[in-house]
Amino acid sequence: MSHLFAFDYHNPTRIVFGPDSFAQLPTLLPADARVLLLYGGGSIKKNGVYDGIRAALAGRDLVEFGGVEANPTLATLDLAVDLVRREKIGFILGVGGGSVSDGAKYVACAALYDGDGWDIVIGKHVPQQALPVGVVLTLPATGSESNAGSVVTNTATQDKRAFFVPPARPRFAVLNPMVMASLPLRQLENGIVDAFVHVCEQYLTYPVGALVQDGYAEAVMKALVKLGASFDRHAEPEWQQNLMWAANQALCGVIGVGVPQDWATHRIAVELTALWGIDHGRTLAIIQPALLRELIEYKREKLEQFGREVFGLDAPSAEDAIAAMETFYRSVNMPLHLRDAGISDADAADRVLAGLRAHGKMTLGGHAGIDEAKTERIVRAACD
């Protein structure tokens, strides 16, 4: 039987893109709202972003909360929740990358919930309402600025969870590529690979005749490969705007509508961040090749298409496609094994597996039927 599309796609996030986009902030925010300005470690105060936003919102009622981590923690975000309640905040404006966007969504929901905020993360409580959220993006990678997903880490339990909160999907996202000029190269490298794997998770399954979804996915991945190949041009506005838009489109939802998806790489990779604080993009590069080799027969047709359409290989095997992907990752300084990330713990794989068991993720299912044995082989191949 042929695969029939069945989906309900709605993305209400307004995207304001371009070098002068900060100027539109006054029209995007309600005039009478008391706004929480949520941001990370303070880089926005060094690169001019903070001053630009403050100038655009001169005279507005702003309350600040800084210090959201690169992998936002429950403890920090709950401090922001307390501030929102005390100050009677009516709008959350996240200024930063994916972590700040994720944190803004959590805060927007948890501020209206009387129980333990972790209930939202683990699905015990499903929010039906949230404070309105907007995002000023400073780091292209996750696409969180225009989707309903969020990731929060509970450091007490070393549990990093992804969850979805549609009521907190950002009302708008301001994307100004000029802010990328001050980003460290490592963050740009991470952004390319993070976005690339986001597309892979929606594409590398099995063929279902999805001409539009496949073509869209391949276009975004080819753009990211070109950006990797021209990384020496990272300071040019054209390069920057293409990465910012590609990362957004990788996970705005349209690529995956109506087609099978496979988020197993992400579900395993989060354990590496929870255990050792490894950058998210780098954890994906460590896990994905091992996962694809373990599941190669389930993904062979799509991998061959991937090699042909994304990397331009002539009659590639699935093995050739994985090798081309690894070459691409190496070109942007990604680790392909845990030891490449500087982790030499003899019991590393056992620690990852223990985390997966504790968090109920040893059996990942999916079209490849990932059971405990497959999960263990993937982890040991990436970590041992």
Side-chain angles (χ1 to χ4, degrees):
M1 179 180 176
S2 61
H3 180 87
L4 301 179
F5 303 149
F7 60 84
D8 183 344
Y9 178 68
H10 174 61
N11 190 337
T13 302
R14 177 180 175 183
I15 304 292
V16 180
F17 195 107
D20 300 321
S21 51
F22 284 7
Q24 295 199 44
L25 278 169
T27 64
L28 296 170
L29 286 164
D32 59 349
R34 191 157 208 223
V35 178
L36 179 72
L37 189 63
L38 186 77
Y39 55 90
S43 62
I44 64 169
K45 293 187 176 180
K46 301 174 184 176
N47 59 17
V49 172
Y50 175 86
D51 291 339
I53 291 171
R54 274 289 188 177
L57 297 176
R60 294 299 186 96
D61 192 358
L62 300 180
V63 176
E64 295 185 23
F65 184 94
V68 177
E69 303 91 345
N71 293 289
T73 66
L74 182 69
T76 296
L77 296 178
D78 279 343
L79 293 175
V81 170
D82 291 341
L83 180 63
V84 166
R85 291 170 176 165
R86 289 198 312 272
E87 297 290 338
K88 297 181 171 54
I89 297 296
F91 199 103
I92 312 294
L93 181 62
V95 182
S99 294
V100 171
S101 300
D102 288 358
K105 296 172 197 175
Y106 171 84
V107 171
C109 292
L112 302 182
Y113 176 55
D114 291 334
D116 183 346
W118 190 243
D119 292 346
I120 297 170
V121 180
I122 63 175
K124 184 177 178 181
H125 171 70
V126 180
Q128 300 302 310
Q129 58 180 342
L131 292 173
V133 173
V135 172
V136 176
L137 186 68
T138 63
L139 172 61
T142 71
S144 181
E145 67 275 5
S146 67
N147 65 45
S150 181
V151 180
V152 171
T153 298
N154 187 335
T155 52
T157 59
Q158 291 188 318
D159 193 0
K160 182 179 179 181
R161 294 286 187 102
F163 58 104
F164 293 86
V165 282
R169 183 193 293 268
R171 306 288 180 87
F172 66 81
V174 173
L175 277 62
N176 179 352
M178 300 300 103
V179 306
M180 296 168 60
S182 64
L183 290 175
L185 298 188
R186 183 184 179 101
Q187 291 186 341
L188 296 175
E189 294 163 356
N190 287 342
I192 289 173
V193 174
D194 197 350
F196 191 85
V197 181
H198 284 160
V199 183
C200 288
E201 299 278 52
Q202 301 166 85
Y203 172 86
L204 282 179
T205 54
Y206 53 92
V208 295
L211 301 180
V212 173
Q213 294 94 320
D214 278 4
Y216 201 171
E218 289 158 3
V220 174
M221 287 189 287
K222 283 192 287 187
L224 291 164
V225 170
K226 287 182 180 179
L227 291 169
S230 60
F231 196 85
D232 60 341
R233 296 174 53 201
H234 66 270
E236 298 178 13
E238 181 180 328
W239 192 97
Q240 294 166 350
Q241 67 184 6
N242 274 296
L243 176 56
M244 185 167 269
W245 188 232
N248 176 272
Q249 292 299 284
L251 202 55
C252 68
V254 69
I255 284 174
V257 293
V259 299
Q261 301 183 30
D262 181 357
W263 290 89
T265 294
H266 274 74
R267 293 172 72 186
I268 296 172
V270 294
E271 298 295 334
L272 307 187
T273 300
L275 286 167
W276 296 289
I278 302 171
D279 303 0
H280 178 59
R282 283 163 157 71
T283 67
L284 298 174
I286 290 167
I287 295 297
Q288 190 190 30
L291 181 139
L292 292 177
R293 288 192 169 95
E294 172 64 31
L295 307 179
I296 196 165
E297 295 307 326
Y298 300 92
K299 299 177 180 289
R300 183 168 290 281
E301 286 184 82
K302 211 59 183 287
L303 280 166
E304 291 170 356
Q305 180 179 335
F306 175 62
R308 185 173 60 251
E309 301 298 334
V310 176
F311 292 106
L313 303 178
D314 184 23
S317 65
E319 291 81 358
D320 293 337
I322 296 171
M325 183 192 70
E326 288 180 315
T327 298
F328 166 49
Y329 288 170
R330 287 192 194 96
S331 76
V332 288
N333 299 313
M334 287 294 116
L336 298 179
H337 190 278
L338 189 62
R339 62 176 173 268
D340 300 334
I343 306 300
S344 56
D345 299 4
D347 62 346
D350 291 332
R351 293 180 65 187
V352 174
L353 291 166
L356 290 168
R357 289 190 181 94
H359 303 142
K361 294 189 291 186
M362 278 296 289
T363 302
L364 300 174
H367 75 283
I370 304 177
D371 56 16
E372 289 199 13
K374 290 174 184 173
T375 299
E376 180 163 356
R377 287 195 293 270
I378 292 165
V379 170
R380 294 202 180 281
C383 298
D384 273 348

